[in-house]
Amino acid sequence: MEIFMWWLDLDLASKEWLRQNLRAEDLPLPVLQGIAEAGGPHPGNPAGVLTAADWDFIETQSEFVD
């Protein structure tokens, strides 16, 4: 599922963590859970949750005024 389809439903704390830790290889459990609860991906490999395109979106398209 494309990030723009679940980003708005992601909790603010997870959004802030992702913005502050761009392209992190390991995501903390609360962030992984937040992504899954918002309707985002939740594969067996936590490192594979976000794609390069997802990180690009977080870096360039997501607004800090959520």
Side-chain angles (χ1 to χ4, degrees):
M1 178 179 291
E2 299 288 329
I3 189 170
F4 64 85
M5 296 180 76
W6 53 265
W7 180 260
L8 292 176
D9 295 325
L10 184 61
D11 64 280
L12 187 56
S14 294
K15 287 180 183 178
E16 289 178 354
W17 190 93
L18 290 167
R19 289 177 181 131
Q20 293 170 359
N21 298 278
L22 281 174
R23 305 189 193 282
E25 301 225 356
D26 295 315
L27 305 180
L29 185 58
V31 173
L32 290 171
Q33 289 174 329
I35 290 171
E37 289 171 5
H42 45 86
N45 176 7
V49 171
L50 299 175
T51 65
D54 293 337
W55 286 115
D56 290 344
F57 175 89
I58 292 167
E59 183 173 19
T60 62
Q61 300 296 317
S62 69
E63 297 183 17
F64 286 88
V65 197
D66 293 314

